[in-house]
Amino acid sequence: MPPLPTTTIGSFPQTGELRAARAAVTAGTLSAGEYERRVEAEIERVIRLQERLGLDVLVHGEPERNDMVQYFAEHLDGFAVTRNGWVQSYGSRCTRPPILHGDVRRPAPITVRWARYAQSLTEQPVKGMLTGPVTIVAWSFRRDDLPLRDVVFQVAEAIREEVADLEAAGTSIIQVDEPALRELLPLRRAAQEEYLEWAVAAYRRATSGVADRTQIHTHLCYSDADQILAAIDGLDADVTTIESARSGARILGAVREFGRGLGPGVYDIHSPRVPPAAEVEELLRRTLAALPAERVWVNPDCGLKTRTYEQVEAALANVVAAARRLRERAGQA
């Protein structure tokens, strides 16, 4: 990687055409084969866009996914999904939480096909993208006949199998997101230490089966992560990307002792506003004042699913430009 490597969090815009195609498959008016061809075309569009912009680590854009939890629940035993079970997530965004009713098993690989296809299109590294065990359980209606810890560890075993298959398929960077780590923290302080201990252990169980050459990333967003920074460090991910721009870079006041790669976000994706390159550069300068340059990654706050391609292309161009300017100035120093 060059200094200040650039990447995104995972998702790219979910267009109306993609959502309509997914609905048509469900309705039986579009064949599975034709839908998969459209997904492949969208993946190629995302890869070519990232190459053109000059990003260092690419993603496939997740066009095949309806939701970061529901998609995995649809491919795991022990879950059921609903057609109309919508709940409000935030603002006007709604999701359909899966129903976790039985023991969790992974009958077959879930993401490997799409990861392999995306990597075949480019020489740049393409991250494998998975949702972590705590988040999958936290954002589901879960069974209550087993302790929460046991349910999360069942999901961790399924994710561990997926991580191993991604690595075997040649994926050198695998991102396992855990945005609900802080959200599931018990309100009672007396229970928090025990929760964080087993939640971190479940994440490490899911991700620790890879060889040293495989890089593990994680992502947390909009979650007061500064309150549990020691637990985040304990996840043992090589790189953590985390929301920062939207909260005014508050996280930077707590990360000076963070010992791993860190990407505090420089682009607030919940706004249609495109941040100027100078603004991104200023956020990066603040980050470099808190962390050594060799540990800093450059990325948006969160995934780009809710934005338009026009907004995304303009914003990412500015993110890449800012990172390159700082690289050049560091080289002249």
Side-chain angles (χ1 to χ4, degrees):
M1 293 293 108
L4 305 179
T6 53
T7 190
T8 66
I9 303 308
S11 62
F12 265 64
Q14 285 267 331
T15 64
E17 291 81 6
L18 272 175
R19 292 193 295 269
R22 194 175 295 124
V25 171
T26 302
T29 58
L30 183 71
S31 71
E34 176 58 27
Y35 172 69
E36 290 174 359
R37 283 190 288 274
R38 296 187 189 186
V39 168
E40 288 180 347
E42 188 70 13
I43 290 173
E44 182 165 13
R45 174 188 186 182
V46 168
I47 293 292
R48 300 297 173 234
L49 172 59
Q50 293 170 95
E51 287 181 326
R52 187 167 70 252
L53 292 172
L55 287 153
D56 298 304
V57 174
L58 313 188
V59 297
H60 79 291
E62 305 176 16
E64 80 285 4
R65 305 186 191 186
N66 44 28
D67 177 80
M68 67 181 293
V69 171
Q70 183 184 338
Y71 178 76
F72 288 93
E74 290 172 342
H75 293 82
L76 293 171
D77 291 344
F79 285 89
V81 295
T82 71
R83 181 172 297 176
N84 297 305
W86 297 99
V87 300
Q88 186 179 24
S89 177
Y90 62 86
S92 61
R93 175 173 163 76
C94 294
T95 63
R96 289 177 290 161
I99 300 167
L100 203 172
H101 60 83
D103 290 337
V104 177
R105 296 182 181 85
R106 188 196 70 140
I110 302 170
T111 67
V112 173
R113 173 189 174 179
W114 305 116
R116 184 185 287 121
Y117 175 71
Q119 189 63 76
S120 74
L121 299 172
T122 181
E123 295 299 317
Q124 296 291 104
V126 179
K127 291 189 287 189
M129 302 299 306
L130 305 175
T131 303
V134 169
T135 299
I136 288 177
V137 175
W139 293 352
S140 300
F141 294 114
R142 58 185 181 269
R143 60 191 296 188
D144 58 7
D145 60 327
L146 286 179
L148 178 60
R149 176 192 183 281
D150 294 354
V151 177
V152 171
F153 266 84
Q154 285 188 5
V155 178
E157 290 296 332
I159 299 301
R160 182 182 178 90
E161 293 173 5
E162 188 72 14
V163 167
D165 282 345
L166 281 169
E167 182 183 50
T171 304
S172 61
I173 302 176
I174 302 171
Q175 182 172 309
V176 184
D177 295 345
E178 210 57 296
L181 183 67
R182 167 64 180 83
E183 179 182 319
L184 213 58
L185 187 72
L187 293 176
R188 294 182 181 275
R189 291 185 181 275
Q192 291 178 357
E193 183 177 354
E194 180 185 5
Y195 159 72
L196 288 172
E197 182 177 339
W198 65 251
V200 168
Y203 185 90
R204 293 179 68 146
R205 177 62 186 168
T207 58
S208 63
V210 299
D212 289 345
R213 67 180 180 273
T214 299
Q215 197 173 75
I216 295 294
H217 289 215
T218 193
H219 174 69
L220 295 92
C221 54
Y222 312 110
S223 58
D224 292 330
D226 52 318
Q227 299 175 11
I228 57 164
L229 205 59
I232 296 170
D233 198 29
L235 297 176
D236 200 29
D238 298 295
V239 177
T240 299
T241 53
I242 197 164
E243 178 272 327
S244 179
R246 185 172 177 83
S247 62
R250 186 185 68 194
I251 191 72
L252 297 180
V255 298
R256 292 183 185 276
E257 303 303 319
F258 196 78
R260 308 176 188 279
L262 190 68
V266 294
Y267 162 29
D268 175 14
I269 62 87
H270 279 304
S271 169
R273 175 178 175 271
V274 173
E279 180 180 307
V280 174
E281 187 173 340
E282 176 57 27
L283 283 171
L284 282 174
R285 288 183 183 280
R286 293 174 64 183
T287 302
L288 291 169
L291 289 166
E294 61 270 18
R295 294 215 304 269
V296 174
W297 283 63
V298 183
N299 47 262
D301 270 354
C302 201
L304 305 170
K305 180 178 180 179
T306 60
R307 302 269 57 88
T308 67
Y309 268 103
E310 182 180 16
Q311 294 162 354
V312 164
E313 184 165 358
L316 291 182
N318 289 344
V319 168
V320 171
R324 285 179 173 172
R325 275 203 293 270
L326 287 177
R327 286 178 197 168
E328 292 168 0
R329 291 171 186 171
Q332 294 169 0

